[in-house]
Amino acid sequence: MTRSKRNVVGWIAGICVMAAVPVLAGCSADSTKTKDTDDAKDTKGSTSTTPRATPSPEGQSGDQSTVQGVVAKWVTAVVEDRPKDACSVMALPATDGSPAKPSTEAMCAGKGPQAQQMADQIHRMHTSFTPDQPKNPPTVKVAEVPVKDKKATVDGEQITVDGQTLKAIVLSHSTGVEEDQVGIRIEAGVVEGRWYVTDLGLSVG
């Protein structure tokens, strides 16, 4: 994904550019879910579970001391449609000549157009990331992943929400798409001693 704005809401606002909008419910206000849960389960097969997944602290909320914790916390906030909480664990990664920049309370709670755009995008992702009949609160688990240079990447098959992989959930909200056409990548990194979600890749079709 290409980021054109140097702020935390800039990168998340553009994540659905990679997706085929007509088939991904969360990226289009006009899209509707056209596959029922039973059909989705039939196509998910063995990807519906993640053997090495480990629960985040307290089973769902996570923290920022590990990559698993921060990804679980971010996904939980998206599933519960809490944009401010999702924003609070997001950061813009370092670029040539510029240090990494974590989100701020003012940025996440702002009323400006960029903050509103971020909130709208989180709401759309909420639709795509939420399983049918979700638990309250949802149980989000993230598998252990390699960490290199204080950075890590987690894909959609390494995250489960209420026992289903995130990839399978997104697929269940799509139509006319095969399993191998769905790609989810969440990148995280350490900024000022804490883990943050720094980028998201979402592709369908």
Side-chain angles (χ1 to χ4, degrees):
M1 184 186 64
T2 300
R3 291 181 292 272
S4 59
K5 297 180 180 179
R6 294 192 55 76
N7 57 61
V8 71
V9 299
W11 65 256
I12 198 169
I15 63 168
C16 287
V17 171
M18 299 176 62
V21 175
V23 300
L24 184 62
C27 289
S28 174
D30 297 329
S31 298
T32 57
K33 182 179 178 182
T34 58
K35 296 176 67 177
D36 62 29
T37 304
D38 291 337
D39 289 343
K41 288 181 179 177
D42 289 342
T43 61
K44 289 192 288 263
S46 62
T47 62
S48 61
T49 60
T50 304
R52 295 181 60 224
T54 55
S56 60
E58 299 182 2
Q60 51 87 25
S61 61
D63 60 26
Q64 288 179 255
S65 64
T66 65
V67 59
Q68 289 85 7
V70 75
V71 170
K73 188 171 185 177
W74 186 81
V75 171
T76 298
V78 172
V79 172
E80 294 187 328
D81 200 14
R82 295 185 280 108
K84 292 179 183 178
D85 290 337
C87 177
S88 71
V89 293
M90 291 158 51
L92 189 71
T95 56
D96 293 341
S98 299
K101 181 181 179 183
S103 58
T104 63
E105 184 175 353
M107 183 185 299
C108 295
K111 302 296 183 182
Q114 291 179 342
Q116 185 60 52
Q117 187 179 26
M118 184 273 295
D120 290 345
Q121 192 62 73
I122 291 291
H123 177 68
R124 289 169 181 163
M125 280 192 293
H126 155 74
T127 300
S128 290
F129 283 18
T130 303
D132 287 338
Q133 301 180 339
K135 296 179 181 179
N136 185 18
T139 300
V140 178
K141 299 180 182 180
V142 180
E144 295 182 8
V145 296
V147 175
K148 183 177 180 181
D149 298 327
K150 297 183 178 180
K151 298 178 182 178
T153 300
V154 184
D155 69 38
E157 293 184 275
Q158 295 172 310
I159 302 166
T160 62
V161 181
D162 297 344
Q164 299 181 55
T165 66
L166 188 58
K167 179 177 179 177
I169 294 169
V170 170
L171 181 64
S172 76
H173 287 282
S174 308
T175 185
V177 178
E178 299 296 328
E179 183 177 347
D180 60 3
Q181 293 178 300
V182 176
I184 302 169
R185 183 194 75 253
I186 298 175
E187 296 180 7
V190 176
V191 181
E192 298 177 2
R194 305 177 73 187
W195 279 95
Y196 286 87
V197 171
T198 56
D199 209 347
L200 172 66
L202 176 60
S203 60
V204 177

